[in-house]
Amino acid sequence: MKTAGRTPPLPRGHLPVVQPGTLEKEKLTFPDLADLMGRLHFSTTDGRIWLDDQRMLLVHAKALGMLRREMIELLGVDMARGFMTRMGYHAGVTDAQLARKVRARTSIQDMFVVGPQMHCLEGIGISEAVRIDCDVEKGTHYGEFIWTSPVEDEEHIRHFSIGTEPACWMQIGYASGFSSEFMGRQVLYREVECQSMGHQVCRIVGKLVEEWGSEADDDLRFMMPGAFDDGLAQNLARPHCKLISTPDSPDGPNHPVGISPSFNSVMHMVRRVAPTQATVLFLGESGVGKEVFSRTLHRLSSRADKPFVAVNCAAIPEQLIESELFGVERGAFTGALQSRQGRFERAHGGTLFLDEIGTLTASAQGKLLRALQEGEIERLGDSQTRKVDVRVIAATNVDLRDEVAAGRFREDLFFRLNVFPVRITPLRERREDIPLLMTHFLSKFNLRHGRRLTGFTQRAVDAMLSYDWPGNIREMENVIERGVILAPDDGAIDSPHLFTSGERFTEQRFSINQDGKLVPVNAASLVADASKEREIERVTRRVNNLLLNDSEDCDNVSLDEIETVLLRRAVERAQGNVAAAARLLGITRPQMVYRLKSRGILNECD
Ligand SMILES: [Zn+2]
């Protein structure tokens, strides 16, 4: 897009050398930041500071410096740097979302410089642009900035002397997170000069991860929690631990991609349990990537060189599931013309992944329990017992406790499976992962379909980031594959290429009212139509009157109406998240779903 000056394109993998004296004339001017300052609000009545819809915290720079120093001394430079980098990354992602909202009608560049301007507003330091060359549609990004008096350097130099490594860790994380979220692809900033190294100013350069090549591997490690834990460092070179997927990733599409705290906590649990023999139960909505995590778990285990066998129990007809899992002996039933191994036998020595375990028949559940407890199975129509050494990973998107309560699932099997449950968060609750997944799937389908698409249009990035992804990662994968097929070659994927099957958007925007409280601007997605809103108001008024003993207008309000209002309000409060709405009302998710469906509320949000 816009370029300041005439800096020639840099050779791949090389850090820029800027001639002395060229800086001043190449500085870009930023727009007035009054629009950003207007979003900052101090609410002294409830002790909150808001930056738009985000709660902020005013922290003493000295306290941050002390924390930083303690981390360095206690955990070592690498781990401390990792913590600070990731903290900055998440702040950057959040501010990029703000940029998109506040500067929606400005040029890409004015929208992008919200990042450096927020740096100034949040007290990090002054950031000046040397060169910004970013085009979301063409998928190009080059950014070069000068930082003067950054808070992190000041604190670093206060506690440590000038050294050989850059120290603006949090800020580099911020720039990388902001740009990745902004571009819808993974961008990495590196600090090539730093005051903590004795330079006059700090200078940072940002490019797409794949353009950095292998020299960026070291910097990428700081974005991965656990990267510097004992024994993990050597795993980093292995593809399954890579945070970022590159088009030539030998591991293909089968490794989890993410950076959000909830993604990281799942990866942490997977790494913990992988070396053991424990049965693992993955929980979470459809499409969150349970199988991908299971494959990773298998790869990290001692069974990695043995088979990984996946079975979707729901995809196999009930009458076939037992022969599929446990095998069949010739003549066991009409049509069983020859003996056949089941999945258990095929997974011998390795891992068996049983998806949608809640759909197993009672008889299959009994046999599975025996296999888990005794390590033995019997083929159908066979009297011989066979020993199998199989680690089982199960997964479900239903609440197995409810299934047990309803008598549809064996309690003993549930306890046997529930040794190490791992819950995977839906994509809408970890939106930081969206840009990484977009990059990942774009590369994957470019490769698969022989296309050369450059990226996504600004409009498409906005749409991807504001969509709620009810079908989670699987839905995103399908949507991007569709986009890769529909978009013109050498161009960018636009939103009409992506959202072609009536996906519904529920954009949530908030503003601060006169009391400094946060209020949704665009009520709730569920109460889209005004007549429903009026109906809710009417019932609410009557309920209030009833509670306040006001004789007027309190008859004719039924318990059923009240419940409907409560359900709607809860879903609204939970921003369409049914599980969260259920928690608000102290009921289970299935109970909530049942109630919402019976009132026709659920269909409105699905
Ligand atoms: Zn620095």
Side-chain angles (χ1 to χ4, degrees), residues 124-165:
I124 308 289
I126 286 285
S127 185
E128 288 161 314
V130 177
R131 180 178 160 198
I132 303 172
D133 187 351
C134 102
D135 190 321
V136 179
E137 297 193 13
K138 289 198 181 120
T140 54
H141 186 99
Y142 181 86
E144 191 177 333
F145 295 86
I146 298 286
W147 287 339
T148 351
S149 52
V151 66
E152 224 175 336
D153 275 334
E154 252 173 43
E155 288 305 319
H156 188 84
I157 295 165
R158 186 198 303 280
H159 295 284
F160 305 93
S161 54
I162 302 284
T164 53
E165 294 288 318

mmCIF file of all heavy atoms in Angstrom, residues 124-165:
data_model
loop_
_atom_site.group_PDB
_atom_site.id
_atom_site.type_symbol
_atom_site.label_atom_id
_atom_site.label_comp_id
_atom_site.label_asym_id
_atom_site.label_seq_id
_atom_site.Cartn_x
_atom_site.Cartn_y
_atom_site.Cartn_z
ATOM 1 N N ILE A 124 4.051 2.992 26.854
ATOM 2 C CA ILE A 124 5.180 2.113 26.553
ATOM 3 C C ILE A 124 6.360 2.926 26.015
ATOM 4 O O ILE A 124 7.509 2.638 26.285
ATOM 5 C CB ILE A 124 4.782 1.052 25.500
ATOM 6 C CG1 ILE A 124 3.514 0.311 25.917
ATOM 7 C CG2 ILE A 124 5.922 0.096 25.215
ATOM 8 C CD1 ILE A 124 3.667 -0.623 27.072
ATOM 9 N N GLY A 125 6.061 3.944 25.237
ATOM 10 C CA GLY A 125 7.121 4.769 24.660
ATOM 11 C C GLY A 125 6.674 5.342 23.327
ATOM 12 O O GLY A 125 5.556 5.081 22.880
ATOM 13 N N ILE A 126 7.580 6.094 22.717
ATOM 14 C CA ILE A 126 7.255 6.708 21.427
ATOM 15 C C ILE A 126 7.705 5.782 20.304
ATOM 16 O O ILE A 126 8.788 5.218 20.342
ATOM 17 C CB ILE A 126 7.966 8.079 21.290
ATOM 18 C CG1 ILE A 126 7.287 9.115 22.176
ATOM 19 C CG2 ILE A 126 8.000 8.545 19.847
ATOM 20 C CD1 ILE A 126 5.966 9.618 21.643
ATOM 21 N N SER A 127 6.821 5.641 19.340
ATOM 22 C CA SER A 127 7.117 4.754 18.230
ATOM 23 C C SER A 127 6.977 5.539 16.935
ATOM 24 O O SER A 127 5.943 6.155 16.692
ATOM 25 C CB SER A 127 6.107 3.612 18.276
ATOM 26 O OG SER A 127 6.380 2.667 17.313
ATOM 27 N N GLU A 128 8.025 5.541 16.129
ATOM 28 C CA GLU A 128 7.959 6.261 14.857
ATOM 29 C C GLU A 128 8.159 5.284 13.713
ATOM 30 O O GLU A 128 9.010 4.396 13.797
ATOM 31 C CB GLU A 128 9.054 7.328 14.799
ATOM 32 C CG GLU A 128 8.772 8.496 15.720
ATOM 33 C CD GLU A 128 10.035 9.295 15.992
ATOM 34 O OE1 GLU A 128 11.076 8.696 16.286
ATOM 35 O OE2 GLU A 128 9.955 10.522 15.877
ATOM 36 N N ALA A 129 7.384 5.490 12.662
ATOM 37 C CA ALA A 129 7.470 4.561 11.538
ATOM 38 C C ALA A 129 8.556 4.997 10.568
ATOM 39 O O ALA A 129 8.635 6.155 10.190
ATOM 40 C CB ALA A 129 6.138 4.491 10.821
ATOM 41 N N VAL A 130 9.410 4.075 10.195
ATOM 42 C CA VAL A 130 10.405 4.332 9.161
ATOM 43 C C VAL A 130 9.823 3.901 7.823
ATOM 44 O O VAL A 130 9.919 4.590 6.822
ATOM 45 C CB VAL A 130 11.699 3.541 9.438
ATOM 46 C CG1 VAL A 130 12.708 3.747 8.323
ATOM 47 C CG2 VAL A 130 12.270 3.940 10.778
ATOM 48 N N ARG A 131 9.196 2.762 7.841
ATOM 49 C CA ARG A 131 8.585 2.272 6.608
ATOM 50 C C ARG A 131 7.443 1.326 6.952
ATOM 51 O O ARG A 131 7.594 0.442 7.793
ATOM 52 C CB ARG A 131 9.644 1.545 5.783
ATOM 53 C CG ARG A 131 9.103 0.997 4.477
ATOM 54 C CD ARG A 131 10.221 0.342 3.687
ATOM 55 N NE ARG A 131 9.633 -0.564 2.708
ATOM 56 C CZ ARG A 131 10.309 -1.524 2.100
ATOM 57 N NH1 ARG A 131 11.580 -1.719 2.360
ATOM 58 N NH2 ARG A 131 9.716 -2.300 1.225
ATOM 59 N N ILE A 132 6.308 1.576 6.328
ATOM 60 C CA ILE A 132 5.196 0.640 6.476
ATOM 61 C C ILE A 132 4.765 0.261 5.080
ATOM 62 O O ILE A 132 4.439 1.114 4.272
ATOM 63 C CB ILE A 132 3.986 1.277 7.193
ATOM 64 C CG1 ILE A 132 4.372 1.820 8.558
ATOM 65 C CG2 ILE A 132 2.863 0.251 7.350
ATOM 66 C CD1 ILE A 132 3.265 2.616 9.223
ATOM 67 N N ASP A 133 4.811 -1.006 4.794
ATOM 68 C CA ASP A 133 4.391 -1.464 3.480
ATOM 69 C C ASP A 133 3.537 -2.686 3.740
ATOM 70 O O ASP A 133 4.042 -3.793 3.862
ATOM 71 C CB ASP A 133 5.638 -1.812 2.658
ATOM 72 C CG ASP A 133 5.268 -2.126 1.219
ATOM 73 O OD1 ASP A 133 4.064 -2.242 0.942
ATOM 74 O OD2 ASP A 133 6.193 -2.252 0.401
ATOM 75 N N CYS A 134 2.249 -2.431 3.907
ATOM 76 C CA CYS A 134 1.432 -3.587 4.244
ATOM 77 C C CYS A 134 0.181 -3.608 3.397
ATOM 78 O O CYS A 134 -0.471 -2.602 3.197
ATOM 79 C CB CYS A 134 1.184 -3.631 5.745
ATOM 80 S SG CYS A 134 -0.381 -3.086 6.336
ATOM 81 N N ASP A 135 -0.066 -4.757 2.839
ATOM 82 C CA ASP A 135 -1.227 -4.933 1.995
ATOM 83 C C ASP A 135 -1.883 -6.254 2.400
ATOM 84 O O ASP A 135 -1.333 -7.327 2.162
ATOM 85 C CB ASP A 135 -0.789 -4.976 0.525
ATOM 86 C CG ASP A 135 -1.990 -4.912 -0.416
ATOM 87 O OD1 ASP A 135 -3.013 -5.551 -0.087
ATOM 88 O OD2 ASP A 135 -1.896 -4.240 -1.452
ATOM 89 N N VAL A 136 -3.023 -6.098 3.042
ATOM 90 C CA VAL A 136 -3.691 -7.293 3.558
ATOM 91 C C VAL A 136 -4.063 -8.216 2.396
ATOM 92 O O VAL A 136 -3.868 -9.426 2.467
ATOM 93 C CB VAL A 136 -4.938 -6.886 4.374
ATOM 94 C CG1 VAL A 136 -5.655 -8.113 4.896
ATOM 95 C CG2 VAL A 136 -4.543 -5.980 5.527
ATOM 96 N N GLU A 137 -4.562 -7.608 1.314
ATOM 97 C CA GLU A 137 -5.021 -8.434 0.190
ATOM 98 C C GLU A 137 -3.889 -9.177 -0.505
ATOM 99 O O GLU A 137 -4.013 -10.342 -0.861
ATOM 100 C CB GLU A 137 -5.726 -7.561 -0.847
ATOM 101 C CG GLU A 137 -6.954 -6.917 -0.268
ATOM 102 C CD GLU A 137 -7.852 -6.316 -1.319
ATOM 103 O OE1 GLU A 137 -7.648 -6.601 -2.510
ATOM 104 O OE2 GLU A 137 -8.756 -5.568 -0.929
ATOM 105 N N LYS A 138 -2.791 -8.458 -0.708
ATOM 106 C CA LYS A 138 -1.662 -9.126 -1.382
ATOM 107 C C LYS A 138 -0.884 -10.007 -0.420
ATOM 108 O O LYS A 138 0.022 -10.729 -0.822
ATOM 109 C CB LYS A 138 -0.723 -8.074 -1.979
ATOM 110 C CG LYS A 138 -1.332 -7.359 -3.183
ATOM 111 C CD LYS A 138 -0.249 -6.670 -3.997
ATOM 112 C CE LYS A 138 -0.825 -5.924 -5.176
ATOM 113 N NZ LYS A 138 -0.520 -4.485 -5.136
ATOM 114 N N GLY A 139 -1.244 -9.885 0.866
ATOM 115 C CA GLY A 139 -0.543 -10.698 1.848
ATOM 116 C C GLY A 139 0.899 -10.282 2.012
ATOM 117 O O GLY A 139 1.779 -11.112 2.218
ATOM 118 N N THR A 140 1.171 -8.968 1.865
ATOM 119 C CA THR A 140 2.543 -8.517 2.069
ATOM 120 C C THR A 140 2.619 -7.668 3.322
ATOM 121 O O THR A 140 1.680 -6.937 3.645
ATOM 122 C CB THR A 140 3.038 -7.651 0.889
ATOM 123 O OG1 THR A 140 2.097 -6.580 0.702
ATOM 124 C CG2 THR A 140 3.130 -8.460 -0.382
ATOM 125 N N HIS A 141 3.711 -7.786 4.025
ATOM 126 C CA HIS A 141 3.891 -6.967 5.221
ATOM 127 C C HIS A 141 5.369 -6.677 5.431
ATOM 128 O O HIS A 141 6.181 -7.586 5.510
ATOM 129 C CB HIS A 141 3.329 -7.677 6.456
ATOM 130 C CG HIS A 141 3.363 -6.816 7.679
ATOM 131 N ND1 HIS A 141 2.247 -6.123 8.128
ATOM 132 C CD2 HIS A 141 4.364 -6.493 8.529
ATOM 133 C CE1 HIS A 141 2.587 -5.419 9.200
ATOM 134 N NE2 HIS A 141 3.863 -5.628 9.469
ATOM 135 N N TYR A 142 5.681 -5.398 5.482
ATOM 136 C CA TYR A 142 7.001 -4.995 5.922
ATOM 137 C C TYR A 142 6.823 -3.769 6.794
ATOM 138 O O TYR A 142 6.212 -2.782 6.373
ATOM 139 C CB TYR A 142 7.933 -4.678 4.730
ATOM 140 C CG TYR A 142 9.309 -4.293 5.208
ATOM 141 C CD1 TYR A 142 10.264 -5.275 5.464
ATOM 142 C CD2 TYR A 142 9.614 -2.964 5.483
ATOM 143 C CE1 TYR A 142 11.504 -4.934 5.964
ATOM 144 C CE2 TYR A 142 10.864 -2.616 5.985
ATOM 145 C CZ TYR A 142 11.809 -3.609 6.228
ATOM 146 O OH TYR A 142 13.024 -3.278 6.735
ATOM 147 N N GLY A 143 7.308 -3.817 7.995
ATOM 148 C CA GLY A 143 7.185 -2.677 8.896
ATOM 149 C C GLY A 143 8.507 -2.422 9.576
ATOM 150 O O GLY A 143 9.217 -3.368 9.949
ATOM 151 N N GLU A 144 8.862 -1.144 9.662
ATOM 152 C CA GLU A 144 10.100 -0.814 10.358
ATOM 153 C C GLU A 144 9.823 0.410 11.218
ATOM 154 O O GLU A 144 9.301 1.415 10.733
ATOM 155 C CB GLU A 144 11.188 -0.522 9.327
ATOM 156 C CG GLU A 144 12.552 -0.430 9.941
ATOM 157 C CD GLU A 144 13.631 -0.218 8.876
ATOM 158 O OE1 GLU A 144 13.430 -0.639 7.728
ATOM 159 O OE2 GLU A 144 14.643 0.407 9.209
ATOM 160 N N PHE A 145 10.146 0.309 12.497
ATOM 161 C CA PHE A 145 9.835 1.374 13.438
ATOM 162 C C PHE A 145 11.037 1.678 14.331
ATOM 163 O O PHE A 145 11.884 0.814 14.566
ATOM 164 C CB PHE A 145 8.648 0.971 14.332
ATOM 165 C CG PHE A 145 7.360 0.802 13.590
ATOM 166 C CD1 PHE A 145 7.054 -0.406 12.987
ATOM 167 C CD2 PHE A 145 6.449 1.846 13.487
ATOM 168 C CE1 PHE A 145 5.864 -0.577 12.292
ATOM 169 C CE2 PHE A 145 5.261 1.700 12.799
ATOM 170 C CZ PHE A 145 4.959 0.474 12.196
ATOM 171 N N ILE A 146 11.052 2.908 14.800
ATOM 172 C CA ILE A 146 12.065 3.333 15.770
ATOM 173 C C ILE A 146 11.360 3.581 17.089
ATOM 174 O O ILE A 146 10.340 4.260 17.132
ATOM 175 C CB ILE A 146 12.703 4.683 15.319
ATOM 176 C CG1 ILE A 146 13.411 4.523 13.978
ATOM 177 C CG2 ILE A 146 13.632 5.221 16.395
ATOM 178 C CD1 ILE A 146 14.706 3.770 14.055
ATOM 179 N N TRP A 147 11.874 3.029 18.150
ATOM 180 C CA TRP A 147 11.307 3.273 19.475
ATOM 181 C C TRP A 147 12.264 4.147 20.286
ATOM 182 O O TRP A 147 13.466 3.861 20.366
ATOM 183 C CB TRP A 147 11.122 1.965 20.238
ATOM 184 C CG TRP A 147 9.985 1.120 19.745
ATOM 185 C CD1 TRP A 147 8.908 1.529 19.024
ATOM 186 C CD2 TRP A 147 9.820 -0.288 19.945
ATOM 187 N NE1 TRP A 147 8.076 0.464 18.754
ATOM 188 C CE2 TRP A 147 8.613 -0.657 19.311
ATOM 189 C CE3 TRP A 147 10.564 -1.274 20.603
ATOM 190 C CZ2 TRP A 147 8.135 -1.966 19.316
ATOM 191 C CZ3 TRP A 147 10.094 -2.572 20.606
ATOM 192 C CH2 TRP A 147 8.889 -2.919 19.971
ATOM 193 N N THR A 148 11.717 5.177 20.896
ATOM 194 C CA THR A 148 12.547 5.979 21.791
ATOM 195 C C THR A 148 12.020 5.815 23.218
ATOM 196 O O THR A 148 10.825 5.767 23.428
ATOM 197 C CB THR A 148 12.478 7.477 21.416
ATOM 198 O OG1 THR A 148 11.792 7.600 20.171
ATOM 199 C CG2 THR A 148 13.842 8.076 21.278
ATOM 200 N N SER A 149 12.931 5.759 24.159
ATOM 201 C CA SER A 149 12.670 5.575 25.590
ATOM 202 C C SER A 149 11.549 4.588 25.911
ATOM 203 O O SER A 149 10.590 4.923 26.571
ATOM 204 C CB SER A 149 12.386 6.920 26.274
ATOM 205 O OG SER A 149 11.378 7.615 25.588
ATOM 206 N N PRO A 150 11.659 3.357 25.442
ATOM 207 C CA PRO A 150 10.651 2.364 25.808
ATOM 208 C C PRO A 150 10.773 1.976 27.280
ATOM 209 O O PRO A 150 11.891 1.904 27.812
ATOM 210 C CB PRO A 150 10.977 1.165 24.926
ATOM 211 C CG PRO A 150 12.166 1.512 24.127
ATOM 212 C CD PRO A 150 12.746 2.777 24.639
ATOM 213 N N VAL A 151 9.638 1.783 27.911
ATOM 214 C CA VAL A 151 9.604 1.527 29.355
ATOM 215 C C VAL A 151 10.416 0.279 29.715
ATOM 216 O O VAL A 151 11.093 0.229 30.747
ATOM 217 C CB VAL A 151 8.142 1.423 29.854
ATOM 218 C CG1 VAL A 151 7.437 0.209 29.266
ATOM 219 C CG2 VAL A 151 8.072 1.393 31.370
ATOM 220 N N GLU A 152 10.381 -0.713 28.835
ATOM 221 C CA GLU A 152 11.047 -1.970 29.175
ATOM 222 C C GLU A 152 12.570 -1.808 29.213
ATOM 223 O O GLU A 152 13.241 -2.386 30.068
ATOM 224 C CB GLU A 152 10.647 -3.031 28.151
ATOM 225 C CG GLU A 152 10.321 -4.363 28.798
ATOM 226 C CD GLU A 152 9.809 -5.364 27.790
ATOM 227 O OE1 GLU A 152 9.279 -4.950 26.743
ATOM 228 O OE2 GLU A 152 9.948 -6.569 28.060
ATOM 229 N N ASP A 153 13.107 -1.015 28.283
ATOM 230 C CA ASP A 153 14.552 -0.763 28.302
ATOM 231 C C ASP A 153 14.945 0.010 29.555
ATOM 232 O O ASP A 153 15.957 -0.301 30.193
ATOM 233 C CB ASP A 153 14.974 0.023 27.057
ATOM 234 C CG ASP A 153 15.229 -0.892 25.870
ATOM 235 O OD1 ASP A 153 15.563 -2.073 26.107
ATOM 236 O OD2 ASP A 153 15.072 -0.440 24.729
ATOM 237 N N GLU A 154 14.141 1.013 29.880
ATOM 238 C CA GLU A 154 14.443 1.811 31.076
ATOM 239 C C GLU A 154 14.557 0.902 32.295
ATOM 240 O O GLU A 154 15.494 0.999 33.085
ATOM 241 C CB GLU A 154 13.317 2.827 31.319
ATOM 242 C CG GLU A 154 13.719 4.246 31.009
ATOM 243 C CD GLU A 154 12.531 5.196 31.093
ATOM 244 O OE1 GLU A 154 11.731 5.071 32.051
ATOM 245 O OE2 GLU A 154 12.406 6.054 30.198
ATOM 246 N N GLU A 155 13.588 0.003 32.436
ATOM 247 C CA GLU A 155 13.593 -0.894 33.588
ATOM 248 C C GLU A 155 14.715 -1.920 33.495
ATOM 249 O O GLU A 155 15.313 -2.281 34.498
ATOM 250 C CB GLU A 155 12.230 -1.587 33.726
ATOM 251 C CG GLU A 155 11.122 -0.658 34.199
ATOM 252 C CD GLU A 155 11.462 0.057 35.510
ATOM 253 O OE1 GLU A 155 12.034 -0.580 36.419
ATOM 254 O OE2 GLU A 155 11.164 1.266 35.604
ATOM 255 N N HIS A 156 14.971 -2.377 32.276
ATOM 256 C CA HIS A 156 16.025 -3.382 32.103
ATOM 257 C C HIS A 156 17.380 -2.787 32.486
ATOM 258 O O HIS A 156 18.162 -3.396 33.215
ATOM 259 C CB HIS A 156 16.050 -3.886 30.652
ATOM 260 C CG HIS A 156 16.983 -5.044 30.440
ATOM 261 N ND1 HIS A 156 16.609 -6.347 30.704
ATOM 262 C CD2 HIS A 156 18.274 -5.103 30.026
ATOM 263 C CE1 HIS A 156 17.614 -7.150 30.442
ATOM 264 N NE2 HIS A 156 18.649 -6.420 30.029
ATOM 265 N N ILE A 157 17.620 -1.575 31.999
ATOM 266 C CA ILE A 157 18.915 -0.943 32.261
ATOM 267 C C ILE A 157 19.037 -0.573 33.739
ATOM 268 O O ILE A 157 20.124 -0.619 34.312
ATOM 269 C CB ILE A 157 19.102 0.283 31.325
ATOM 270 C CG1 ILE A 157 19.178 -0.219 29.877
ATOM 271 C CG2 ILE A 157 20.352 1.070 31.687
ATOM 272 C CD1 ILE A 157 19.012 0.844 28.821
ATOM 273 N N ARG A 158 17.905 -0.285 34.387
ATOM 274 C CA ARG A 158 17.927 0.015 35.817
ATOM 275 C C ARG A 158 18.476 -1.184 36.621
ATOM 276 O O ARG A 158 19.195 -1.024 37.600
ATOM 277 C CB ARG A 158 16.502 0.348 36.308
ATOM 278 C CG ARG A 158 16.434 0.815 37.761
ATOM 279 C CD ARG A 158 15.016 0.696 38.318
ATOM 280 N NE ARG A 158 14.012 1.436 37.548
ATOM 281 C CZ ARG A 158 13.799 2.739 37.655
ATOM 282 N NH1 ARG A 158 14.516 3.440 38.510
ATOM 283 N NH2 ARG A 158 12.876 3.327 36.942
ATOM 284 N N HIS A 159 18.085 -2.392 36.182
ATOM 285 C CA HIS A 159 18.461 -3.593 36.939
ATOM 286 C C HIS A 159 19.679 -4.328 36.386
ATOM 287 O O HIS A 159 20.340 -5.049 37.114
ATOM 288 C CB HIS A 159 17.281 -4.566 37.009
ATOM 289 C CG HIS A 159 16.111 -4.033 37.772
ATOM 290 N ND1 HIS A 159 16.097 -3.975 39.146
ATOM 291 C CD2 HIS A 159 14.936 -3.503 37.357
ATOM 292 C CE1 HIS A 159 14.942 -3.454 39.548
ATOM 293 N NE2 HIS A 159 14.220 -3.154 38.479
ATOM 294 N N PHE A 160 19.909 -4.212 35.091
ATOM 295 C CA PHE A 160 21.020 -4.945 34.480
ATOM 296 C C PHE A 160 21.834 -3.962 33.643
ATOM 297 O O PHE A 160 21.303 -2.964 33.174
ATOM 298 C CB PHE A 160 20.495 -6.071 33.572
ATOM 299 C CG PHE A 160 19.564 -7.015 34.269
ATOM 300 C CD1 PHE A 160 18.198 -6.813 34.236
ATOM 301 C CD2 PHE A 160 20.058 -8.089 34.987
ATOM 302 C CE1 PHE A 160 17.329 -7.675 34.887
ATOM 303 C CE2 PHE A 160 19.200 -8.964 35.645
ATOM 304 C CZ PHE A 160 17.821 -8.749 35.605
ATOM 305 N N SER A 161 23.052 -4.291 33.406
ATOM 306 C CA SER A 161 23.839 -3.358 32.595
ATOM 307 C C SER A 161 23.556 -3.616 31.110
ATOM 308 O O SER A 161 22.870 -4.560 30.753
ATOM 309 C CB SER A 161 25.320 -3.533 32.904
ATOM 310 O OG SER A 161 25.658 -4.888 32.742
ATOM 311 N N ILE A 162 24.148 -2.760 30.287
ATOM 312 C CA ILE A 162 23.989 -2.904 28.839
ATOM 313 C C ILE A 162 24.545 -4.264 28.421
ATOM 314 O O ILE A 162 25.620 -4.666 28.855
ATOM 315 C CB ILE A 162 24.781 -1.786 28.107
ATOM 316 C CG1 ILE A 162 24.304 -0.404 28.548
ATOM 317 C CG2 ILE A 162 24.723 -1.961 26.596
ATOM 318 C CD1 ILE A 162 22.994 0.050 27.980
ATOM 319 N N GLY A 163 23.808 -4.967 27.616
ATOM 320 C CA GLY A 163 24.247 -6.313 27.244
ATOM 321 C C GLY A 163 24.301 -6.506 25.737
ATOM 322 O O GLY A 163 24.397 -5.543 24.976
ATOM 323 N N THR A 164 24.227 -7.763 25.344
ATOM 324 C CA THR A 164 24.376 -8.070 23.920
ATOM 325 C C THR A 164 23.046 -8.465 23.285
ATOM 326 O O THR A 164 22.978 -8.707 22.081
ATOM 327 C CB THR A 164 25.364 -9.232 23.724
ATOM 328 O OG1 THR A 164 24.921 -10.318 24.559
ATOM 329 C CG2 THR A 164 26.765 -8.834 24.134
ATOM 330 N N GLU A 165 22.003 -8.573 24.097
ATOM 331 C CA GLU A 165 20.707 -9.023 23.568
ATOM 332 C C GLU A 165 19.678 -7.905 23.690
ATOM 333 O O GLU A 165 19.718 -7.133 24.647
ATOM 334 C CB GLU A 165 20.212 -10.226 24.389
ATOM 335 C CG GLU A 165 21.056 -11.469 24.249
ATOM 336 C CD GLU A 165 20.890 -12.131 22.892
ATOM 337 O OE1 GLU A 165 19.736 -12.202 22.413
ATOM 338 O OE2 GLU A 165 21.913 -12.544 22.305
#
